[in-house]
Amino acid sequence: MIEYLKGELVEVTPALVVMEVHGVGYGLNISLNTYSAVQGKKEARLWVYEAIRDDAYLLFGFATKKEREMFLLLISVSGVGANTARMILSEMTVAEICNVISSGNERMLKSVKGIGLRTAQRIIVDLKDKIVSSGIAEEITVATGEQIAVLSNPVKDEAVGALTMLGFAPAPSAKVVVAILKEQPELPVEKVVKLALKQIK
């Protein structure tokens, strides 16, 4: 079993890195979160998951152990394969996924390509307790109290929906909208969207 690989980054793309370790080039499938973490670096250490199937032997690389732990939790859910888990980790950070699961935000999960309502519900039901018991939520703020109020706010959902229709990715949009509503919880949808448009990068 390969725990991690440390070596020179020969090639880096948003979906795949080629890492040379002692003269051997390893192709590792990565998420956009890991891509952001290694972009511009000459060397890196990536935590590894090996997917061994009858027709393929694939390696998945993660910038942090937490990301790999979340990946393993996601693929433990019936109907969620390695590529779908990687897609979720490309749309959201580990902290955002924990918050989405803990607050039961089906809509946010459904916004990820390849995730339907049933799969979103299954992820929430199966992982709600596991993200706490596994320790993955220790270093992050799992939504409680005031945060849950913001995360379950219909204005937030409408604003994120509007921004998504305008072509912005759901995860960054939600992050900006939640920040706005924490400071000004009484704002109507249209004002939240206008403020978010100025802040989204």
Side-chain angles (χ1 to χ4, degrees), residues 73-120:
L73 285 174
L74 288 168
I75 63 173
S76 74
V77 177
S78 176
V80 179
N83 281 324
T84 302
R86 179 172 64 158
M87 189 76 71
I88 295 169
L89 283 162
S90 291
E91 290 272 350
M92 293 176 261
T93 65
V94 174
E96 286 166 343
I97 296 168
C98 283
N99 284 335
V100 164
I101 291 169
S102 66
S103 63
N105 193 336
E106 295 166 3
R107 185 182 291 193
M108 195 69 178
L109 278 173
K110 270 178 60 189
S111 70
V112 178
K113 188 181 175 185
I115 300 280
L117 177 60
R118 283 189 179 180
T119 305

Side-chain angles (χ1 to χ4, degrees), residues 9 19 31 50 67-68 70 72 79-80 118 135 145 149 158 161 179 188:
L9 295 170
M19 179 182 280
S31 70
E50 299 170 82
E67 188 184 14
R68 184 177 66 176
M70 178 56 81
L72 292 172
V80 179
R118 283 189 179 180
E158 283 184 51

Side-chain angles (χ1 to χ4, degrees), residues 79-167:
V80 179
N83 281 324
T84 302
R86 179 172 64 158
M87 189 76 71
I88 295 169
L89 283 162
S90 291
E91 290 272 350
M92 293 176 261
T93 65
V94 174
E96 286 166 343
I97 296 168
C98 283
N99 284 335
V100 164
I101 291 169
S102 66
S103 63
N105 193 336
E106 295 166 3
R107 185 182 291 193
M108 195 69 178
L109 278 173
K110 270 178 60 189
S111 70
V112 178
K113 188 181 175 185
I115 300 280
L117 177 60
R118 283 189 179 180
T119 305
Q121 290 171 337
R122 206 177 294 127
I123 289 170
I124 290 165
V125 170
D126 286 6
L127 301 186
K128 205 160 195 175
D129 293 332
K130 287 182 183 176
I131 58 171
V132 177
S133 62
S134 69
I136 199 168
E138 281 177 8
E139 294 175 19
I140 60 173
T141 309
V142 175
T144 53
E146 184 185 317
Q147 280 182 297
I148 286 178
V150 171
L151 285 166
S152 60
N153 188 331
V155 171
K156 189 217 83 168
D157 290 338
E158 283 184 51
V160 173
L163 291 163
T164 304
M165 288 196 315
L166 289 169

